Structure formats: C-alpha cells, structure tokens
Amino acid sequence: MASPSHRRPPGKRHTALVPALVVAAVALVASLLMALHPEGATTADDATSAPIAGSGSTTPRTTPSTSPKPKPKPKPKPSKPSKPSAAKASPTAPTARTTGPEGSAARTAPQPASASAPLAGRIRPDVTYEGVATFYDTGNGDGACLYGPTDDVMTAAMNHTDYETSKACGAYIRVRAASGASVTVRITNECPLPCAPGQLDLSPQAFAKLAAPSAGQIPITWSLLSPSTSDTISIRYKTGSSRYWCGIQAVGHRNPLARLEVRDGSGWRRLPRAEYNYFLSEQGSGCGGAIRITDIYGEALTVDGLAIRPDALQPTRLQFAAH
C-alpha cells in the first residue's frame, strides 16, 4: 500500500489563504491610517490618564511638571499684645503714703507731645486725664521733688508712671471731682507704686475741697495748667555742690521744665535729670556758669552765672510765658 501523502488537498489550501489575506489587508489599512494621523496614536500616558469606567472621577490625571512648584508663603501670625511691665521705684526723697484704697488705672493713654508743647512728656496741655484721688499726710510739705518744707497746702504727689523721672515736678494741675468741685494743686511729690497711672495723692486740705475725707478715694479728671503768677524762678545748687560736681534745680517755674543746660568751654551742655529733681553735672562742667532752662513749650530762659551756694535759693527776674 502506498503511504498517505503529506500534501494538503487543493480545496483545503485555498480556504486557509483567504483569512490570511484579509488579516494582511486590515494591517495595511491600519498602518496607513497611523501614518496619516499620528496624533491619534495612544500612548502609555494616555492610557493611564483616561478615566476608568464606573469610577466617580471624570477629571484626567495631569502629568507632573518637571519644574519645582513654588512653596506657599507662610501666613503672618497675629501679634500678641505685650503685657505691661511694672516699673520699679527708685529710692528718692520722702515719698507719699496713700491712706485710701488703691486706685484704678487711668483710661486716658499717654499721647505724643503736641506742636504747642513739643517738649512735653506724658503730661500734655489740652488733654484731660482720668484716675482716682487719694490723700496722704504731707508733713512739712517736702517731697520727692526736694523743693523743701513749705506752707503751701495745695499740693499733690503724682503717680510713679506720670511722675516720669521728676518731669512732673512743679506742674500745676486742675483736679475735678464727679460732683463738679475742683481744686488747683502743685506737684511736689511722687506717689510710688502701686499708685496707678492717672492717680493723684493729694494733701488732706486739697482732698477736702473735692470730697469728705471719709470717702478715702474718689474718681477724678485732671489737666495741666499754665497759671497766672507774679512769682519768678529761683535757682538752687544741691548740698555738696562745688566746681567739681554740682546738682542744679529750678524752683517756681510756671510751666513744667523740659531741660536745663549749662555753658562750658564748648558751648551749651544739657544735664541729665535725677528722680529727685536735680540736674547733675557729674564732672563739674559748667558749675557756677550761665544756666539755660527750657519749658515744655520750647521757651528758653538764660540765667547769668550764679555763685555756687549749696542749698540756697537764688532768685532771678525770669518767668515763662503763660499758655
């Protein structure tokens, strides 16, 4: 017997070639379309950015940029109000002792000096301050300002804050009570802490002009005055002064004193002010020479050279103008 032939029957061979030709034709058409429309090609990124069927998101994923993203600027933190620090009272001459209960803080904040009083500190003209009034035993009338004993009973001690290293010394203050009663006092002393800003510690006689002493403490308003007066200013050298060291103070000035200068070989030299109301020349410069004093309004008065006579009032014919 003849062995079976390994050739395919003619009919079977023709049938197998037809699908092959169809596949080849489809591949050719697809390649032609790809060549004509290259942007239509699908990339791997396109596949990953396409939304997934059935998912909730329809936003395609953006390919990350190669450039670094700018860091967001940090938001500024709100500033925290600073806590008021308690001032330390320095040792001075005898100070006031309050007999009434402690006062409350004044509601009028200190303001910068106005054009009419460019050298003013915390206490300014044309400003009304609020606080409380108490009273103390004034004794012989002397106080931290070291003006010495006095028969003037219309005096007051200024609270430590508004005393401002003796800038308040000699200031005339109009004090008003809620009842409408008022009194004018001169600042001769300091009321140490815990006397609050705005508080005045009056002489008993001055307090009695406003309320019965049994009240102990009353709310007040007060303001700076520039009173009419026939008095003139006097100059005093402190005990122990010489041409090698001296302390100088002015007494009886109508308006608060802003500065005191002495003339030395190089001109006018401003002296620092102590809490006990003397201007000090530590090296003796200008001691015994001409003196120039200036009030908070900027008016300057010059006193010819005075002999150094410690603890003696030496009168002048000078006085600041009223305002």
Side-chain angles (χ1 to χ4, degrees):
M1 273 183 79
S3 63
S5 175
H6 294 283
R7 296 182 179 177
R8 295 180 180 177
K12 294 286 183 178
R13 185 178 182 182
H14 177 75
T15 303
L17 287 174
V18 171
L21 291 174
V22 171
V23 170
V26 170
L28 178 62
V29 171
S31 62
L32 290 175
L33 290 175
M34 291 289 290
L36 292 175
H37 300 284
E39 66 275 9
T42 303
T43 63
D45 285 344
D46 292 332
T48 56
S49 64
I52 301 174
S55 67
S57 172
T58 58
T59 304
R61 181 170 63 103
T62 304
T63 304
S65 173
T66 56
S67 59
K69 295 182 179 180
K71 295 182 179 180
K73 296 182 180 180
K75 296 181 180 180
K77 297 181 179 180
S79 60
K80 296 180 180 180
S82 58
K83 296 180 180 179
S85 57
K88 296 182 179 180
S90 302
T92 62
T95 52
R97 294 186 180 180
T98 304
T99 57
E102 303 302 342
S104 59
R107 285 180 285 172
T108 303
Q111 303 177 34
S114 63
S116 61
L119 302 180
R122 291 180 60 88
I123 302 175
R124 300 176 51 226
D126 304 321
V127 174
T128 299
Y129 299 86
E130 296 182 356
V132 296
T134 49
F135 64 94
Y136 75 108
D137 182 7
T138 54
N140 63 5
D142 198 6
C145 296
L146 290 189
Y147 288 134
T150 178
D151 295 331
D152 181 11
V153 295
M154 292 299 143
T155 60
M158 181 63 70
N159 68 81
H160 173 81
T161 303
D162 294 324
Y163 183 77
E164 201 175 2
T165 316
S166 75
K167 274 186 118 175
C169 285
Y172 288 89
I173 302 294
R174 172 70 58 80
V175 188
R176 293 186 182 277
S179 64
S182 65
V183 64
T184 299
V185 296
R186 184 169 62 103
I187 302 302
T188 60
N189 208 344
E190 175 189 7
C191 184
L193 295 172
C195 275
Q199 183 173 352
L200 293 176
D201 211 13
L202 306 175
S203 67
Q205 296 87 343
F207 188 92
K209 296 282 187 181
L210 302 176
S214 59
Q217 172 181 298
I218 59 172
I220 57 166
T221 59
W222 55 272
S223 55
L224 180 67
L225 290 183
S226 178
S228 59
T229 178
S230 58
D231 295 338
T232 58
I233 299 171
S234 296
I235 300 295
R236 177 161 50 202
Y237 278 95
K238 195 178 186 307
T239 301
S241 293
S242 69
R243 62 191 181 94
Y244 303 106
W245 178 94
C246 66
I248 309 171
Q249 75 171 183
V251 182
H253 41 86
R254 185 200 313 265
N255 307 317
L257 208 60
R259 59 184 177 222
L260 186 148
E261 301 162 283
V262 293
R263 184 182 292 164
D264 59 16
S266 59
W268 290 106
R269 179 170 174 263
R270 183 176 178 178
L271 300 183
R273 191 174 195 170
E275 288 197 356
Y276 49 85
N277 195 34
Y278 273 89
F279 295 82
L280 306 180
S281 178
E282 298 286 356
Q283 306 301 323
S285 176
C287 294
I291 300 169
R292 184 166 66 184
I293 54 177
T294 306
D295 69 2
I296 63 172
Y297 299 96
E299 182 182 2
L301 303 175
T302 301
V303 181
D304 292 333
L306 298 173
I308 302 175
R309 296 170 53 195
D311 205 28
L313 279 176
Q314 300 188 60
T316 72
R317 297 181 179 179
L318 304 174
Q319 184 57 272
F320 293 117
H323 291 267

